[in-house]
Amino acid sequence: QVQLEESGGGLVQAGGSLRLSCAASGRPLSDYFMGWFRQAPGKEREFVAAINRNGLITDYKDSVKGRFTVSRDNAKNTAYLQMNIVKPEDTAVYYCAASATISPAYGREYEYDYWGQGTQVTVSS
């Protein structure tokens, strides 16, 4: 099985940028479809972005389209979430997740087999 570890979270001002990383160990990242989710205080965890195994197909939550970019470097066993023009409503704990399913319904949490521990992103206004 794969282990996932997020990093790169922190405090950023509105309009700024952050890059989150998700490092995989135990198995090649290329074996997995990857997703990013987030959970704000008092809210359900929600889908943010997803990327297929070869990195050619991506999708995003509507509210982050044009601001966030998901990518992966399978040679480095790492996935990324570049967050630009961040807003206070982006404040949340961000999680990366890996799905072994060939064609997962990638917006659904139940499709993901492995999760990282999360990294906090706080956007100040």
Side-chain angles (χ1 to χ4, degrees), residues 4-7 20-24 29 34 36 77-80 96-97:
L4 304 174
E5 183 173 4
E6 302 95 339
S7 60
L20 306 184
S21 298
C22 175
L29 190 72
M34 297 298 296
W36 286 91
N77 257 9
T78 305
Y80 303 97
C96 65

Side-chain angles (χ1 to χ4, degrees), residues 15-124:
S17 297
L18 275 178
R19 188 175 80 158
L20 306 184
S21 298
C22 175
S25 59
R27 286 193 61 85
L29 190 72
S30 56
D31 285 354
Y32 302 96
F33 195 107
M34 297 298 296
W36 286 91
F37 290 75
R38 66 186 182 188
Q39 187 168 22
K43 295 189 176 182
E44 300 276 325
R45 190 155 58 182
E46 64 179 6
F47 168 77
V48 176
I51 185 166
N52 75 334
R53 286 170 174 77
N54 63 16
L56 295 181
I57 299 174
T58 60
D59 200 9
Y60 300 89
K61 175 181 173 63
D62 283 348
S63 64
V64 308
K65 284 181 180 177
R67 300 190 297 121
F68 290 11
T69 302
V70 61
S71 62
R72 63 194 296 161
D73 185 338
N74 288 337
K76 294 183 178 179
N77 257 9
T78 305
Y80 303 97
L81 185 68
Q82 178 68 43
M83 305 169 60
N84 296 331
I85 318 174
V86 295
K87 303 176 181 181
E89 52 264 43
D90 295 322
T91 294
V93 176
Y94 282 72
Y95 300 88
C96 65
S99 174
T101 301
I102 298 300
S103 297
Y106 51 78
R108 306 295 184 183
E109 290 187 47
Y110 61 76
E111 290 282 41
Y112 293 87
D113 306 288
Y114 305 100
W115 292 80
Q117 83 288 350
T119 186
Q120 176 71 48
V121 172
T122 302
V123 182
S124 62

